[in-house]
Amino acid sequence: MSQHEQFAWGSLLASVATWLFLTMRMTESWMIVNVSPRHMIWTYAAVVILMIVAHAVLAGVLGARAGGQAGKDERDLAIAARAERLEGIVVLVAVNVLIIHALAQAAFAGHGLPSIDLGTLPVLFYALLTLLFVGHITSQAATIWLYRA
């Protein structure tokens, strides 16, 4: 397994763990709770710090094991480009789903279909951060899959 694939595995696990931390801070019984803006700011800061520290430790450990040799060849660059392209597509689709959902909810108020109230700040905050995590997790999973293919 290459160092880049190992980094993708570590990043995937760190991202899922950090998203679970976000979920723990923003939900109760998997339902988004109404929290204060201060709580969301601290949660956001903690999520950012967790991701930075996890990826720095991961890069340091993998770099130390490889003796600092982490060059990318053409295959590594092609895999990274394809994974990032897929991440962009997933984020683009997810943002459009949120936009269409918000517009439809405003245009067809009172419908009987299940909906997400994007008008409340905690729901919007959680939805947008989850969208970013979905994009990153997609990128790392695609990287792993492309290395295995």
Side-chain angles (χ1 to χ4, degrees), residues 52-126:
I52 290 170
V53 169
H55 285 82
V57 167
L58 182 61
V61 168
L62 290 176
R65 273 205 285 162
Q69 304 297 323
K72 287 189 173 186
D73 60 10
E74 292 84 15
R75 180 175 182 254
D76 295 328
L77 295 173
I79 286 173
R82 287 180 68 189
E84 289 170 7
R85 187 170 37 249
L86 181 60
E87 175 185 12
I89 291 168
V90 167
V91 169
L92 179 71
V93 168
V95 166
N96 279 294
V97 166
L98 287 178
I99 290 170
I100 291 169
H101 179 78
L103 291 173
Q105 190 173 4
F108 305 109
H111 61 80
L113 299 172
S115 64
I116 301 169
D117 185 15
L118 293 172
T120 61
L121 186 58
V123 174
L124 183 62
F125 173 80
Y126 184 74

Side-chain angles (χ1 to χ4, degrees), residues 17-18 21 27-28 39 41 44 47 49 59 68-69 71 78-79 86 94 96 99 103 112 115 120 123 137 139 145:
T18 305
F21 170 78
T27 64
E28 189 172 298
H39 178 85
I41 289 170
Y44 181 72
V47 165
I49 291 169
Q69 304 297 323
I79 286 173
L86 181 60
N96 279 294
I99 290 170
L103 291 173
S115 64
T120 61
V123 174
I137 289 168
S139 173
W145 182 73

